[in-house]
Amino acid sequence: MDEKQLKRAMELISVAGTAKSQCVEAMTIAETGDIDGAREKLKTAHKTLHEAHNIQTKWMTDEMNGEKVEKSIMLIHSQDHFISADIMMTVAEKVINLHEELNTLKAKE
């Protein structure tokens, strides 16, 4: 894997990892009952995941335009991080919604 591809893979891993961490932070905030704060953190995670998506899209576009992309474990690993961040986003949204519902039910008691 050449230097450019390695840099791209590491950047995707880093940005996707940040998005995953932000999703976990959002769920942790929701556990405290601060649903608005959790949703705000999730918005930040969405923006970060979008940045990761842009890295991936640029990579694919370059390949479609003839740039050679070596298929390597590092490439696969970076894609795995991106996908797991995307899945974590969905999970975080569901968890926050559940905490919101739980808070509503507790308030009715």
Side-chain angles (χ1 to χ4, degrees):
M1 178 174 253
D2 70 24
E3 186 78 23
K4 181 180 177 182
Q5 300 300 323
L6 181 60
K7 182 180 176 193
R8 232 181 230 177
M10 295 305 295
E11 184 179 15
L12 184 55
I13 290 167
S14 176
V15 175
T18 299
K20 283 190 289 188
S21 294
Q22 291 167 335
C23 288
V24 171
E25 289 175 34
M27 289 185 283
T28 301
I29 293 167
E31 287 176 351
T32 70
D34 182 6
I35 301 304
D36 291 336
R39 291 199 192 286
E40 199 58 40
K41 179 57 81 171
L42 200 59
K43 281 183 189 177
T44 301
H46 271 286
K47 289 177 186 173
T48 305
L49 187 62
H50 184 72
E51 182 183 340
H53 185 260
N54 287 341
I55 294 166
Q56 182 192 48
T57 300
K58 171 82 169 96
W59 206 340
M60 290 186 301
T61 301
D62 288 349
E63 184 177 31
M64 289 186 311
N65 289 329
E67 184 175 310
K68 184 179 180 330
V69 174
E70 181 184 337
K71 307 318 183 258
S72 68
I73 294 298
M74 189 59 86
L75 170 71
I76 294 165
H77 185 64
S78 69
Q79 296 301 306
D80 184 46
H81 273 272
F82 175 72
I83 294 300
S84 64
D86 188 52
I87 292 167
M88 185 62 79
M89 184 71 60
T90 302
V91 170
E93 289 170 351
K94 298 293 185 186
V95 168
I96 292 168
N97 289 342
L98 288 171
H99 278 289
E100 182 176 40
E101 186 175 341
L102 182 61
N103 290 347
T104 300
L105 291 172
K106 282 182 179 179
K108 288 181 180 178
E109 291 180 345

